Amino acid sequence: MAKKSVASLQKGGGKEFTKVVVTTKSAKTGAYTFKEGMVHNDKVKEFVAEATK
């Protein structure tokens, strides 16, 4: 299954997207949380800035 999804991203416009994972540490508990998403290459910096707020 994973090979099919990866292969489908390599065709057409799939190369224009990047999977971004942002890690943040909670000040209250010390636990890590993750926010991830498929973002267009032009908007990666915006996604990271928004996720770190």
Side-chain angles (χ1 to χ4, degrees):
M1 293 294 268
K3 289 184 180 179
K4 289 182 181 178
S5 64
V6 170
S8 66
L9 288 175
Q10 296 300 322
K11 296 179 184 173
K15 291 184 180 181
E16 297 173 1
F17 289 90
T18 304
K19 183 175 183 180
V20 180
V21 180
V22 179
T23 307
T24 57
K25 186 174 183 178
S26 172
K28 194 181 271 188
T29 63
Y32 287 97
T33 58
F34 303 95
K35 182 175 181 184
E36 62 182 75
M38 293 295 289
V39 183
H40 195 274
N41 291 340
D42 296 337
K43 303 193 184 232
V44 171
K45 290 183 180 181
E46 294 171 14
F47 181 83
V48 172
E50 179 185 316
T52 56
K53 286 184 179 179

mmCIF file of all heavy atoms in Angstrom:
data_model
loop_
_atom_site.group_PDB
_atom_site.id
_atom_site.type_symbol
_atom_site.label_atom_id
_atom_site.label_comp_id
_atom_site.label_asym_id
_atom_site.label_seq_id
_atom_site.Cartn_x
_atom_site.Cartn_y
_atom_site.Cartn_z
ATOM 1 N N MET A 1 0.815 -1.196 0.000
ATOM 2 C CA MET A 1 0.000 0.000 0.000
ATOM 3 C C MET A 1 0.861 1.263 0.000
ATOM 4 O O MET A 1 0.572 2.188 -0.717
ATOM 5 C CB MET A 1 -0.924 0.008 1.217
ATOM 6 C CG MET A 1 -1.976 -1.072 1.162
ATOM 7 S SD MET A 1 -3.123 -0.787 -0.168
ATOM 8 C CE MET A 1 -4.360 0.143 0.670
ATOM 9 N N ALA A 2 1.903 1.292 0.794
ATOM 10 C CA ALA A 2 2.729 2.492 0.878
ATOM 11 C C ALA A 2 3.403 2.788 -0.453
ATOM 12 O O ALA A 2 3.523 3.932 -0.843
ATOM 13 C CB ALA A 2 3.773 2.346 1.982
ATOM 14 N N LYS A 3 3.815 1.740 -1.145
ATOM 15 C CA LYS A 3 4.470 1.967 -2.429
ATOM 16 C C LYS A 3 3.522 2.620 -3.421
ATOM 17 O O LYS A 3 3.912 3.466 -4.187
ATOM 18 C CB LYS A 3 5.008 0.652 -2.985
ATOM 19 C CG LYS A 3 6.195 0.116 -2.233
ATOM 20 C CD LYS A 3 6.731 -1.133 -2.876
ATOM 21 C CE LYS A 3 7.911 -1.648 -2.105
ATOM 22 N NZ LYS A 3 8.441 -2.872 -2.677
ATOM 23 N N LYS A 4 2.253 2.215 -3.385
ATOM 24 C CA LYS A 4 1.290 2.803 -4.305
ATOM 25 C C LYS A 4 1.088 4.279 -4.018
ATOM 26 O O LYS A 4 1.016 5.081 -4.921
ATOM 27 C CB LYS A 4 -0.043 2.062 -4.217
ATOM 28 C CG LYS A 4 -0.011 0.685 -4.813
ATOM 29 C CD LYS A 4 -1.375 0.044 -4.740
ATOM 30 C CE LYS A 4 -1.344 -1.354 -5.311
ATOM 31 N NZ LYS A 4 -2.656 -2.003 -5.204
ATOM 32 N N SER A 5 0.978 4.643 -2.739
ATOM 33 C CA SER A 5 0.751 6.053 -2.421
ATOM 34 C C SER A 5 1.972 6.887 -2.762
ATOM 35 O O SER A 5 1.850 8.010 -3.220
ATOM 36 C CB SER A 5 0.382 6.228 -0.946
ATOM 37 O OG SER A 5 1.454 5.844 -0.121
ATOM 38 N N VAL A 6 3.166 6.375 -2.529
ATOM 39 C CA VAL A 6 4.382 7.108 -2.869
ATOM 40 C C VAL A 6 4.502 7.249 -4.375
ATOM 41 O O VAL A 6 4.824 8.306 -4.888
ATOM 42 C CB VAL A 6 5.628 6.412 -2.274
ATOM 43 C CG1 VAL A 6 6.910 7.023 -2.822
ATOM 44 C CG2 VAL A 6 5.602 6.509 -0.764
ATOM 45 N N ALA A 7 4.196 6.171 -5.089
ATOM 46 C CA ALA A 7 4.292 6.206 -6.546
ATOM 47 C C ALA A 7 3.295 7.201 -7.129
ATOM 48 O O ALA A 7 3.602 7.898 -8.083
ATOM 49 C CB ALA A 7 4.063 4.814 -7.115
ATOM 50 N N SER A 8 2.111 7.288 -6.535
ATOM 51 C CA SER A 8 1.120 8.216 -7.077
ATOM 52 C C SER A 8 1.528 9.667 -6.831
ATOM 53 O O SER A 8 1.158 10.551 -7.586
ATOM 54 C CB SER A 8 -0.261 7.941 -6.471
ATOM 55 O OG SER A 8 -0.256 8.228 -5.097
ATOM 56 N N LEU A 9 2.289 9.934 -5.772
ATOM 57 C CA LEU A 9 2.749 11.294 -5.522
ATOM 58 C C LEU A 9 3.843 11.717 -6.492
ATOM 59 O O LEU A 9 4.061 12.895 -6.697
ATOM 60 C CB LEU A 9 3.276 11.434 -4.085
ATOM 61 C CG LEU A 9 2.238 11.420 -2.987
ATOM 62 C CD1 LEU A 9 2.931 11.443 -1.632
ATOM 63 C CD2 LEU A 9 1.291 12.593 -3.105
ATOM 64 N N GLN A 10 4.543 10.761 -7.086
ATOM 65 C CA GLN A 10 5.635 11.082 -7.995
ATOM 66 C C GLN A 10 5.140 11.435 -9.395
ATOM 67 O O GLN A 10 5.893 11.922 -10.203
ATOM 68 C CB GLN A 10 6.627 9.916 -8.073
ATOM 69 C CG GLN A 10 7.320 9.620 -6.765
ATOM 70 C CD GLN A 10 8.122 10.798 -6.256
ATOM 71 O OE1 GLN A 10 8.740 11.523 -7.021
ATOM 72 N NE2 GLN A 10 8.096 11.012 -4.964
ATOM 73 N N LYS A 11 3.873 11.198 -9.678
ATOM 74 C CA LYS A 11 3.323 11.504 -10.997
ATOM 75 C C LYS A 11 2.642 12.859 -10.958
ATOM 76 O O LYS A 11 2.055 13.254 -9.964
ATOM 77 C CB LYS A 11 2.306 10.446 -11.397
ATOM 78 C CG LYS A 11 2.898 9.068 -11.575
ATOM 79 C CD LYS A 11 1.833 8.069 -11.945
ATOM 80 C CE LYS A 11 2.419 6.675 -12.025
ATOM 81 N NZ LYS A 11 1.382 5.668 -12.230
ATOM 82 N N GLY A 12 2.720 13.571 -12.026
ATOM 83 C CA GLY A 12 1.989 14.831 -12.134
ATOM 84 C C GLY A 12 2.455 15.875 -11.156
ATOM 85 O O GLY A 12 3.627 16.195 -11.062
ATOM 86 N N GLY A 13 1.521 16.436 -10.397
ATOM 87 C CA GLY A 13 1.821 17.536 -9.494
ATOM 88 C C GLY A 13 2.259 17.101 -8.111
ATOM 89 O O GLY A 13 2.410 17.935 -7.228
ATOM 90 N N GLY A 14 2.445 15.821 -7.859
ATOM 91 C CA GLY A 14 2.814 15.335 -6.540
ATOM 92 C C GLY A 14 4.169 15.806 -6.065
ATOM 93 O O GLY A 14 4.409 15.912 -4.864
ATOM 94 N N LYS A 15 5.064 16.116 -6.984
ATOM 95 C CA LYS A 15 6.392 16.580 -6.596
ATOM 96 C C LYS A 15 6.368 18.002 -6.057
ATOM 97 O O LYS A 15 7.342 18.465 -5.503
ATOM 98 C CB LYS A 15 7.347 16.507 -7.788
ATOM 99 C CG LYS A 15 7.679 15.093 -8.197
ATOM 100 C CD LYS A 15 8.694 15.085 -9.312
ATOM 101 C CE LYS A 15 9.028 13.673 -9.719
ATOM 102 N NZ LYS A 15 10.014 13.630 -10.782
ATOM 103 N N GLU A 16 5.250 18.677 -6.203
ATOM 104 C CA GLU A 16 5.132 20.052 -5.735
ATOM 105 C C GLU A 16 4.762 20.127 -4.258
ATOM 106 O O GLU A 16 4.680 21.205 -3.706
ATOM 107 C CB GLU A 16 4.077 20.782 -6.565
ATOM 108 C CG GLU A 16 4.444 20.882 -8.028
ATOM 109 C CD GLU A 16 3.319 21.455 -8.865
ATOM 110 O OE1 GLU A 16 2.263 21.786 -8.296
ATOM 111 O OE2 GLU A 16 3.499 21.564 -10.081
ATOM 112 N N PHE A 17 4.532 18.977 -3.616
ATOM 113 C CA PHE A 17 4.115 18.953 -2.227
ATOM 114 C C PHE A 17 5.174 18.303 -1.345
ATOM 115 O O PHE A 17 5.918 17.433 -1.791
ATOM 116 C CB PHE A 17 2.795 18.196 -2.078
ATOM 117 C CG PHE A 17 1.635 18.949 -2.648
ATOM 118 C CD1 PHE A 17 1.276 18.783 -3.966
ATOM 119 C CD2 PHE A 17 0.917 19.834 -1.869
ATOM 120 C CE1 PHE A 17 0.211 19.478 -4.508
ATOM 121 C CE2 PHE A 17 -0.147 20.543 -2.397
ATOM 122 C CZ PHE A 17 -0.504 20.371 -3.725
ATOM 123 N N THR A 18 5.235 18.746 -0.085
ATOM 124 C CA THR A 18 6.191 18.232 0.879
ATOM 125 C C THR A 18 5.440 17.889 2.154
ATOM 126 O O THR A 18 4.563 18.634 2.583
ATOM 127 C CB THR A 18 7.254 19.304 1.209
ATOM 128 O OG1 THR A 18 7.871 19.708 -0.010
ATOM 129 C CG2 THR A 18 8.297 18.777 2.162
ATOM 130 N N LYS A 19 5.800 16.761 2.768
ATOM 131 C CA LYS A 19 5.222 16.414 4.062
ATOM 132 C C LYS A 19 6.049 17.109 5.131
ATOM 133 O O LYS A 19 7.251 16.911 5.231
ATOM 134 C CB LYS A 19 5.240 14.908 4.285
ATOM 135 C CG LYS A 19 4.597 14.503 5.585
ATOM 136 C CD LYS A 19 4.528 13.001 5.724
ATOM 137 C CE LYS A 19 3.803 12.635 6.996
ATOM 138 N NZ LYS A 19 3.715 11.186 7.151
ATOM 139 N N VAL A 20 5.377 17.934 5.947
ATOM 140 C CA VAL A 20 6.052 18.707 6.979
ATOM 141 C C VAL A 20 5.571 18.220 8.344
ATOM 142 O O VAL A 20 4.373 18.105 8.571
ATOM 143 C CB VAL A 20 5.747 20.214 6.823
ATOM 144 C CG1 VAL A 20 6.446 21.016 7.901
ATOM 145 C CG2 VAL A 20 6.149 20.703 5.450
ATOM 146 N N VAL A 21 6.527 17.943 9.244
ATOM 147 C CA VAL A 21 6.208 17.543 10.605
ATOM 148 C C VAL A 21 6.879 18.539 11.544
ATOM 149 O O VAL A 21 8.082 18.725 11.506
ATOM 150 C CB VAL A 21 6.711 16.119 10.908
ATOM 151 C CG1 VAL A 21 6.374 15.729 12.339
ATOM 152 C CG2 VAL A 21 6.137 15.124 9.931
ATOM 153 N N VAL A 22 6.068 19.192 12.391
ATOM 154 C CA VAL A 22 6.572 20.187 13.329
ATOM 155 C C VAL A 22 6.414 19.624 14.736
ATOM 156 O O VAL A 22 5.336 19.189 15.126
ATOM 157 C CB VAL A 22 5.803 21.511 13.189
ATOM 158 C CG1 VAL A 22 6.324 22.531 14.190
ATOM 159 C CG2 VAL A 22 5.918 22.048 11.784
ATOM 160 N N THR A 23 7.489 19.633 15.513
ATOM 161 C CA THR A 23 7.483 19.133 16.877
ATOM 162 C C THR A 23 7.480 20.303 17.851
ATOM 163 O O THR A 23 8.282 21.218 17.719
ATOM 164 C CB THR A 23 8.743 18.282 17.138
ATOM 165 O OG1 THR A 23 8.837 17.280 16.132
ATOM 166 C CG2 THR A 23 8.681 17.623 18.491
ATOM 167 N N THR A 24 6.572 20.245 18.825
ATOM 168 C CA THR A 24 6.541 21.276 19.860
ATOM 169 C C THR A 24 6.495 20.595 21.218
ATOM 170 O O THR A 24 5.908 19.527 21.369
ATOM 171 C CB THR A 24 5.323 22.210 19.713
ATOM 172 O OG1 THR A 24 4.138 21.427 19.736
ATOM 173 C CG2 THR A 24 5.384 23.000 18.436
ATOM 174 N N LYS A 25 7.133 21.211 22.205
ATOM 175 C CA LYS A 25 7.167 20.659 23.550
ATOM 176 C C LYS A 25 6.236 21.479 24.442
ATOM 177 O O LYS A 25 6.329 22.707 24.486
ATOM 178 C CB LYS A 25 8.586 20.703 24.106
ATOM 179 C CG LYS A 25 8.734 20.008 25.438
ATOM 180 C CD LYS A 25 10.190 19.941 25.873
ATOM 181 C CE LYS A 25 10.316 19.190 27.172
ATOM 182 N NZ LYS A 25 11.698 19.070 27.604
ATOM 183 N N SER A 26 5.365 20.809 25.160
ATOM 184 C CA SER A 26 4.436 21.476 26.051
ATOM 185 C C SER A 26 5.165 21.981 27.286
ATOM 186 O O SER A 26 5.907 21.235 27.929
ATOM 187 C CB SER A 26 3.324 20.503 26.470
ATOM 188 O OG SER A 26 2.521 21.077 27.473
ATOM 189 N N ALA A 27 4.962 23.244 27.627
ATOM 190 C CA ALA A 27 5.596 23.820 28.810
ATOM 191 C C ALA A 27 4.978 23.260 30.087
ATOM 192 O O ALA A 27 5.645 23.146 31.115
ATOM 193 C CB ALA A 27 5.457 25.334 28.779
ATOM 194 N N LYS A 28 3.722 22.892 30.012
ATOM 195 C CA LYS A 28 3.005 22.417 31.190
ATOM 196 C C LYS A 28 3.398 20.982 31.568
ATOM 197 O O LYS A 28 3.726 20.704 32.716
ATOM 198 C CB LYS A 28 1.507 22.472 30.922
ATOM 199 C CG LYS A 28 0.643 22.323 32.164
ATOM 200 C CD LYS A 28 -0.834 22.373 31.798
ATOM 201 C CE LYS A 28 -1.317 23.804 31.827
ATOM 202 N NZ LYS A 28 -2.773 23.904 31.664
ATOM 203 N N THR A 29 3.383 20.072 30.602
ATOM 204 C CA THR A 29 3.629 18.658 30.907
ATOM 205 C C THR A 29 4.992 18.166 30.443
ATOM 206 O O THR A 29 5.442 17.119 30.877
ATOM 207 C CB THR A 29 2.557 17.770 30.255
ATOM 208 O OG1 THR A 29 2.644 17.918 28.828
ATOM 209 C CG2 THR A 29 1.171 18.145 30.721
ATOM 210 N N GLY A 30 5.608 18.876 29.523
ATOM 211 C CA GLY A 30 6.887 18.431 28.983
ATOM 212 C C GLY A 30 6.748 17.403 27.870
ATOM 213 O O GLY A 30 7.736 16.913 27.345
ATOM 214 N N ALA A 31 5.513 17.079 27.493
ATOM 215 C CA ALA A 31 5.263 16.104 26.434
ATOM 216 C C ALA A 31 5.423 16.772 25.064
ATOM 217 O O ALA A 31 5.196 17.965 24.915
ATOM 218 C CB ALA A 31 3.865 15.533 26.563
ATOM 219 N N TYR A 32 5.819 15.976 24.109
ATOM 220 C CA TYR A 32 5.963 16.474 22.739
ATOM 221 C C TYR A 32 4.681 16.228 21.963
ATOM 222 O O TYR A 32 4.040 15.190 22.106
ATOM 223 C CB TYR A 32 7.131 15.779 22.034
ATOM 224 C CG TYR A 32 8.472 16.232 22.532
ATOM 225 C CD1 TYR A 32 9.155 15.501 23.498
ATOM 226 C CD2 TYR A 32 9.052 17.389 22.061
ATOM 227 C CE1 TYR A 32 10.395 15.916 23.964
ATOM 228 C CE2 TYR A 32 10.278 17.819 22.511
ATOM 229 C CZ TYR A 32 10.949 17.080 23.463
ATOM 230 O OH TYR A 32 12.165 17.506 23.917
ATOM 231 N N THR A 33 4.316 17.184 21.127
ATOM 232 C CA THR A 33 3.188 17.027 20.217
ATOM 233 C C THR A 33 3.689 17.259 18.801
ATOM 234 O O THR A 33 4.659 17.986 18.581
ATOM 235 C CB THR A 33 2.050 18.019 20.532
ATOM 236 O OG1 THR A 33 2.556 19.347 20.450
ATOM 237 C CG2 THR A 33 1.490 17.782 21.919
ATOM 238 N N PHE A 34 3.019 16.642 17.861
ATOM 239 C CA PHE A 34 3.425 16.720 16.467
ATOM 240 C C PHE A 34 2.264 17.229 15.635
ATOM 241 O O PHE A 34 1.135 16.815 15.816
ATOM 242 C CB PHE A 34 3.837 15.339 15.948
ATOM 243 C CG PHE A 34 4.933 14.714 16.746
ATOM 244 C CD1 PHE A 34 4.643 13.831 17.772
ATOM 245 C CD2 PHE A 34 6.255 15.011 16.485
ATOM 246 C CE1 PHE A 34 5.653 13.256 18.513
ATOM 247 C CE2 PHE A 34 7.277 14.442 17.217
ATOM 248 C CZ PHE A 34 6.966 13.567 18.239
ATOM 249 N N LYS A 35 2.567 18.145 14.732
ATOM 250 C CA LYS A 35 1.592 18.615 13.762
ATOM 251 C C LYS A 35 2.189 18.339 12.392
ATOM 252 O O LYS A 35 3.304 18.755 12.107
ATOM 253 C CB LYS A 35 1.324 20.112 13.933
ATOM 254 C CG LYS A 35 0.274 20.625 12.975
ATOM 255 C CD LYS A 35 -0.072 22.066 13.218
ATOM 256 C CE LYS A 35 -1.141 22.505 12.242
ATOM 257 N NZ LYS A 35 -1.447 23.926 12.383
ATOM 258 N N GLU A 36 1.446 17.617 11.581
ATOM 259 C CA GLU A 36 1.977 17.286 10.261
ATOM 260 C C GLU A 36 0.954 17.585 9.191
ATOM 261 O O GLU A 36 -0.244 17.647 9.450
ATOM 262 C CB GLU A 36 2.420 15.830 10.196
ATOM 263 C CG GLU A 36 1.338 14.804 10.414
ATOM 264 C CD GLU A 36 1.885 13.405 10.367
ATOM 265 O OE1 GLU A 36 2.529 13.001 11.329
ATOM 266 O OE2 GLU A 36 1.642 12.726 9.359
ATOM 267 N N GLY A 37 1.459 17.781 7.991
ATOM 268 C CA GLY A 37 0.575 18.060 6.875
ATOM 269 C C GLY A 37 1.315 18.026 5.557
ATOM 270 O O GLY A 37 2.536 18.154 5.515
ATOM 271 N N MET A 38 0.554 17.837 4.491
ATOM 272 C CA MET A 38 1.087 17.892 3.143
ATOM 273 C C MET A 38 0.913 19.330 2.665
ATOM 274 O O MET A 38 -0.203 19.826 2.579
ATOM 275 C CB MET A 38 0.345 16.933 2.217
ATOM 276 C CG MET A 38 0.563 15.484 2.548
ATOM 277 S SD MET A 38 2.252 14.941 2.313
ATOM 278 C CE MET A 38 2.374 14.961 0.551
ATOM 279 N N VAL A 39 2.032 19.999 2.399
ATOM 280 C CA VAL A 39 2.022 21.420 2.095
ATOM 281 C C VAL A 39 2.703 21.650 0.751
ATOM 282 O O VAL A 39 3.689 20.986 0.425
ATOM 283 C CB VAL A 39 2.774 22.203 3.202
ATOM 284 C CG1 VAL A 39 2.712 23.683 2.953
ATOM 285 C CG2 VAL A 39 2.216 21.866 4.565
ATOM 286 N N HIS A 40 2.181 22.598 0.000
ATOM 287 C CA HIS A 40 2.816 22.975 -1.264
ATOM 288 C C HIS A 40 4.197 23.552 -0.963
ATOM 289 O O HIS A 40 4.390 24.218 0.059
ATOM 290 C CB HIS A 40 1.951 24.002 -2.002
ATOM 291 C CG HIS A 40 2.336 24.174 -3.430
ATOM 292 N ND1 HIS A 40 3.317 25.045 -3.825
ATOM 293 C CD2 HIS A 40 1.897 23.562 -4.549
ATOM 294 C CE1 HIS A 40 3.462 24.981 -5.133
ATOM 295 N NE2 HIS A 40 2.590 24.082 -5.599
ATOM 296 N N ASN A 41 5.148 23.304 -1.827
ATOM 297 C CA ASN A 41 6.530 23.728 -1.595
ATOM 298 C C ASN A 41 6.666 25.229 -1.351
ATOM 299 O O ASN A 41 7.538 25.667 -0.613
ATOM 300 C CB ASN A 41 7.415 23.319 -2.772
ATOM 301 C CG ASN A 41 7.612 21.827 -2.850
ATOM 302 O OD1 ASN A 41 7.424 21.107 -1.885
ATOM 303 N ND2 ASN A 41 7.983 21.346 -4.021
ATOM 304 N N ASP A 42 5.815 26.022 -1.943
ATOM 305 C CA ASP A 42 5.890 27.472 -1.777
ATOM 306 C C ASP A 42 5.408 27.927 -0.401
ATOM 307 O O ASP A 42 5.717 29.028 0.033
ATOM 308 C CB ASP A 42 5.048 28.173 -2.849
ATOM 309 C CG ASP A 42 5.581 27.921 -4.241
ATOM 310 O OD1 ASP A 42 6.784 27.608 -4.369
ATOM 311 O OD2 ASP A 42 4.795 28.036 -5.204
ATOM 312 N N LYS A 43 4.666 27.103 0.316
ATOM 313 C CA LYS A 43 4.046 27.519 1.572
ATOM 314 C C LYS A 43 4.606 26.792 2.790
ATOM 315 O O LYS A 43 4.002 26.816 3.857
ATOM 316 C CB LYS A 43 2.544 27.314 1.486
ATOM 317 C CG LYS A 43 1.946 28.072 0.324
ATOM 318 C CD LYS A 43 0.475 28.148 0.377
ATOM 319 C CE LYS A 43 -0.008 28.843 -0.875
ATOM 320 N NZ LYS A 43 -0.870 29.923 -0.634
ATOM 321 N N VAL A 44 5.758 26.167 2.675
ATOM 322 C CA VAL A 44 6.352 25.419 3.785
ATOM 323 C C VAL A 44 6.698 26.361 4.948
ATOM 324 O O VAL A 44 6.379 26.078 6.104
ATOM 325 C CB VAL A 44 7.605 24.643 3.323
ATOM 326 C CG1 VAL A 44 8.341 24.050 4.507
ATOM 327 C CG2 VAL A 44 7.199 23.547 2.354
ATOM 328 N N LYS A 45 7.333 27.491 4.660
ATOM 329 C CA LYS A 45 7.723 28.424 5.716
ATOM 330 C C LYS A 45 6.505 28.974 6.444
ATOM 331 O O LYS A 45 6.519 29.146 7.660
ATOM 332 C CB LYS A 45 8.568 29.563 5.154
ATOM 333 C CG LYS A 45 9.943 29.115 4.706
ATOM 334 C CD LYS A 45 10.782 30.262 4.225
ATOM 335 C CE LYS A 45 12.150 29.777 3.780
ATOM 336 N NZ LYS A 45 12.997 30.871 3.323
ATOM 337 N N GLU A 46 5.421 29.229 5.718
ATOM 338 C CA GLU A 46 4.202 29.729 6.331
ATOM 339 C C GLU A 46 3.602 28.683 7.267
ATOM 340 O O GLU A 46 3.133 29.011 8.355
ATOM 341 C CB GLU A 46 3.178 30.097 5.264
ATOM 342 C CG GLU A 46 3.600 31.258 4.396
ATOM 343 C CD GLU A 46 2.679 31.469 3.217
ATOM 344 O OE1 GLU A 46 1.562 30.889 3.200
ATOM 345 O OE2 GLU A 46 3.068 32.202 2.300
ATOM 346 N N PHE A 47 3.615 27.414 6.848
ATOM 347 C CA PHE A 47 3.077 26.337 7.670
ATOM 348 C C PHE A 47 3.872 26.176 8.971
ATOM 349 O O PHE A 47 3.297 26.061 10.052
ATOM 350 C CB PHE A 47 3.102 25.006 6.886
ATOM 351 C CG PHE A 47 2.541 23.847 7.658
ATOM 352 C CD1 PHE A 47 1.180 23.619 7.705
ATOM 353 C CD2 PHE A 47 3.382 22.953 8.317
ATOM 354 C CE1 PHE A 47 0.665 22.552 8.397
ATOM 355 C CE2 PHE A 47 2.873 21.892 9.017
ATOM 356 C CZ PHE A 47 1.500 21.676 9.055
ATOM 357 N N VAL A 48 5.187 26.230 8.877
ATOM 358 C CA VAL A 48 6.041 26.093 10.053
ATOM 359 C C VAL A 48 5.837 27.267 10.998
ATOM 360 O O VAL A 48 5.738 27.096 12.218
ATOM 361 C CB VAL A 48 7.518 25.942 9.647
ATOM 362 C CG1 VAL A 48 8.423 25.990 10.862
ATOM 363 C CG2 VAL A 48 7.734 24.654 8.886
ATOM 364 N N ALA A 49 5.736 28.474 10.469
ATOM 365 C CA ALA A 49 5.519 29.656 11.300
ATOM 366 C C ALA A 49 4.188 29.581 12.023
ATOM 367 O O ALA A 49 4.086 29.914 13.201
ATOM 368 C CB ALA A 49 5.590 30.912 10.451
ATOM 369 N N GLU A 50 3.162 29.118 11.333
ATOM 370 C CA GLU A 50 1.834 28.999 11.934
ATOM 371 C C GLU A 50 1.814 27.902 12.999
ATOM 372 O O GLU A 50 1.195 28.063 14.047
ATOM 373 C CB GLU A 50 0.811 28.692 10.859
ATOM 374 C CG GLU A 50 -0.609 28.523 11.388
ATOM 375 C CD GLU A 50 -1.558 28.111 10.290
ATOM 376 O OE1 GLU A 50 -1.475 28.692 9.179
ATOM 377 O OE2 GLU A 50 -2.371 27.225 10.525
ATOM 378 N N ALA A 51 2.498 26.805 12.757
ATOM 379 C CA ALA A 51 2.473 25.669 13.677
ATOM 380 C C ALA A 51 3.271 25.953 14.955
ATOM 381 O O ALA A 51 2.985 25.373 15.997
ATOM 382 C CB ALA A 51 3.025 24.425 12.984
ATOM 383 N N THR A 52 4.238 26.825 14.892
ATOM 384 C CA THR A 52 5.060 27.100 16.071
ATOM 385 C C THR A 52 4.480 28.194 16.958
ATOM 386 O O THR A 52 5.060 28.501 17.994
ATOM 387 C CB THR A 52 6.486 27.484 15.669
ATOM 388 O OG1 THR A 52 6.448 28.604 14.777
ATOM 389 C CG2 THR A 52 7.209 26.337 15.005
ATOM 390 N N LYS A 53 3.374 28.795 16.569
ATOM 391 C CA LYS A 53 2.756 29.842 17.389
ATOM 392 C C LYS A 53 2.153 29.258 18.642
ATOM 393 O O LYS A 53 1.706 28.206 18.756
ATOM 394 C CB LYS A 53 1.666 30.568 16.613
ATOM 395 C CG LYS A 53 2.218 31.497 15.581
ATOM 396 C CD LYS A 53 1.100 32.263 14.921
ATOM 397 C CE LYS A 53 1.662 33.207 13.891
ATOM 398 N NZ LYS A 53 0.612 33.941 13.207
#
